[in-house]
Amino acid sequence: MSNSNTVGQVIRCRAAVAWEAGKPLVIEEVEVAPPQTNEVRLKILYTSLCHTDVYFWEAKGQNPLFPRIYGHEAGGIVESVGEGVTDLKAGDHVLPVFTGECKDCAHCKSEESNMCDLLRINTDRGVMLSDGKSRFSIKGKPIYHFVGTSTFSEYTVVHVGCLAKINPLAPLDKVCVLSCGISTGLGATLNVAKPKKGSTVAVFGLGAVGLAAAEGQRISGASRIIGVDLNSSRFEEAKKFGVTEFVNPKDHKKPVQEVIAELTNGGVDRSIECTGNVEAMISAFECVHDGWGVAVLVGVPHKEAVFKTHPVNFLNERTLKGTFFGNYKPRTDIPSVVEKYMNNELELEKFITHKVPFSEINKAFDYMLKGEGLRCIIHMEE
């Protein structure tokens, strides 16, 4: 892959640039500088659109930072490495991840945490850590990075700690979805909720992340998987992910946690909340069975959000947990999630509902804004 004539040189390539909030991306020729210390330059082969990209592109509640290259769910091949990079080389297959693993901080050294001090997600930073500069430019004018990945470009530069080196036989057009949303939902189940075989579980929110949580429950051998969503049109699709029954809170007068408790003889063994809605968080917690029930929060609420519940819900031996990126450490753990797919334990094809060429990337935004499908794969080679 390492084209010796590009190593150490600026690469000119296509990137989809967001010039301003909410305006369609424009395919531009950008210059991509060589990787600096602890950085890697990679060729992106496939990228996919995640709701987080859309959220920051709309820039309604965040610091707007433009022009910017979005994108963080992707698969690619290392083109060259900067100084100090020893565990990756040209030609390696990698998944870039919006959070990282430096392997040195207290979080990385802890078996329990994946929230690296150095590389955890920072949505406000538009530059590289080593020198505070961008590696992208157009005619000398810097274009900002997004969550350290910026995969809506044929080449990008990423900190080595944000790259999972994966099996080169794994099809990048499928496993690229593991670099964000699918791992988040899957890990919430497998690493945090940990349902036992035969468990009864509930999932709140049946988008890609919620369905990945359901997929984890299917893999775990749950006997009943109750899907909760305000959009009943999502129910048919969810059956492919192991969801066995459905509850739409709008169809009931009483709170949905009471509906679920009645359906399950006192509550579910595990619940996973994937909407970020405070009401859903309370419902997810209050619908688990006393004595052993565990609820896991995945969805990200708005900054001012608070919720309340009666402390007796905890005293009656219910547990409430939160998770970030499914508690996976990107470099250490994601390669084994790819192997689950390679061993046919985990199904990924059903998450991929659309495919578009890079020149039509704005179509992917349209699908997501209309709520159509789950994941749209954008292939860079036209």
Side-chain angles (χ1 to χ4, degrees):
M1 186 73 217
S2 175
N3 207 332
S4 50
N5 58 0
T6 59
V7 174
Q9 305 293 315
V10 169
I11 289 179
R12 285 184 177 74
C13 68
R14 294 179 308 155
V17 177
W19 289 100
E20 51 186 308
K23 293 284 191 324
L25 306 187
V26 183
I27 305 284
E28 305 276 9
E29 183 179 79
V30 298
E31 291 98 41
V32 185
Q36 303 300 306
T37 305
N38 290 330
E39 294 172 4
V40 175
R41 187 163 59 182
L42 53 146
K43 181 182 171 81
I44 298 291
L45 299 188
Y46 299 94
T47 184
S48 122
L49 182 64
C50 164
H51 193 260
T52 310
D53 296 305
V54 176
Y55 184 74
F56 284 91
W57 163 75
E58 289 179 322
K60 286 174 182 164
Q62 313 76 38
N63 304 340
L65 189 59
F66 295 95
R68 202 171 202 183
I69 295 172
Y70 286 96
H72 64 280
E73 215 174 70
I77 300 182
V78 173
E79 174 269 336
S80 62
V81 300
E83 205 180 310
V85 175
T86 53
D87 50 355
L88 286 173
K89 61 185 186 307
D92 284 345
H93 286 219
V94 291
L95 301 182
V97 182
F98 62 89
T99 186
E101 182 184 354
C102 72
K103 299 197 173 181
D104 286 327
C105 70
H107 283 277
C108 286
K109 287 183 170 154
S110 154
E111 284 179 16
E112 296 173 64
S113 176
N114 65 342
M115 298 190 64
C116 175
D117 278 328
L118 181 70
L119 299 169
R120 78 171 68 167
I121 185 168
N122 181 329
T123 54
D124 291 333
R125 188 169 59 229
V127 293
M128 297 304 285
L129 278 172
S130 67
D131 60 1
K133 292 181 180 150
S134 171
R135 301 285 169 264
F136 297 109
S137 58
I138 294 180
K139 297 179 182 133
K141 181 183 191 292
I143 308 292
Y144 294 110
H145 294 252
F146 177 64
V147 297
T149 52
S150 292
T151 60
F152 295 164
S153 175
E154 291 175 311
Y155 287 86
T156 187
V157 177
V158 177
H159 191 286
V160 64
C162 299
L163 291 168
K165 179 183 174 182
I166 63 159
N167 183 341
L169 300 176
L172 287 171
D173 60 332
K174 309 289 191 298
V175 298
C176 65
V177 298
L178 290 172
S179 80
C180 176
I182 309 312
S183 293
T184 296
L186 186 73
T189 296
L190 300 182
N191 298 335
V192 188
K194 297 181 179 164
K196 297 181 174 73
K197 197 171 193 305
S199 294
T200 300
V201 297
V203 184
F204 288 73
L206 299 175
V209 175
L211 292 173
E215 176 74 0
Q217 292 160 347
R218 183 189 70 75
I219 292 169
S220 302
S223 60
R224 293 173 71 188
I225 303 176
I226 301 168
V228 183
D229 203 291
L230 295 169
N231 178 356
S232 298
S233 67
R234 286 179 155 178
F235 293 168
E236 197 51 43
E237 179 86 359
K239 290 176 185 170
K240 295 181 198 165
F241 299 83
V243 180
T244 54
E245 50 207 286
F246 302 95
V247 176
N248 186 332
K250 291 194 290 201
D251 296 343
H252 302 273
K253 287 204 167 63
K254 62 178 82 165
V256 71
Q257 52 268 47
E258 291 177 28
V259 176
I260 291 171
E262 282 175 16
L263 280 174
T264 55
N265 196 15
V268 291
D269 303 313
R270 300 288 185 267
S271 75
I272 303 197
E273 198 296 308
C274 301
T275 72
N277 175 297
V278 180
E279 300 299 318
M281 292 179 190
I282 290 298
S283 298
F285 175 51
E286 294 183 355
C287 81
V288 300
H289 205 288
D290 60 1
W292 62 78
V294 180
V296 178
L297 304 184
V298 181
V300 180
H302 63 84
K303 286 192 180 78
E304 285 73 49
V306 287
F307 59 63
K308 59 182 186 201
T309 185
H310 207 289
V312 86
N313 289 323
F314 292 97
L315 299 176
N316 288 341
E317 300 172 9
R318 291 180 184 85
T319 303
L320 180 61
K321 291 181 164 185
T323 175
F324 168 69
F325 190 52
N327 280 36
Y328 287 119
K329 291 178 186 272
R331 297 159 89 177
T332 302
D333 299 331
I334 293 302
S336 64
V337 183
V338 170
E339 292 312 307
K340 276 190 201 295
Y341 168 73
M342 297 298 278
N343 301 334
N344 296 318
E345 280 175 72
L346 165 65
E347 297 169 10
L348 291 178
E349 283 79 0
K350 59 195 178 187
F351 287 98
I352 298 165
T353 50
H354 296 87
K355 293 176 185 170
V356 298
F358 188 41
S359 57
E360 295 174 25
I361 188 168
N362 288 305
K363 271 193 188 164
F365 279 76
D366 294 339
Y367 293 136
M368 187 157 281
L369 291 167
K370 288 180 188 150
E372 284 176 28
L374 295 169
R375 280 294 184 263
C376 179
I377 303 291
I378 298 150
H379 45 102
M380 306 307 276
E381 310 245 321
E382 300 280 322

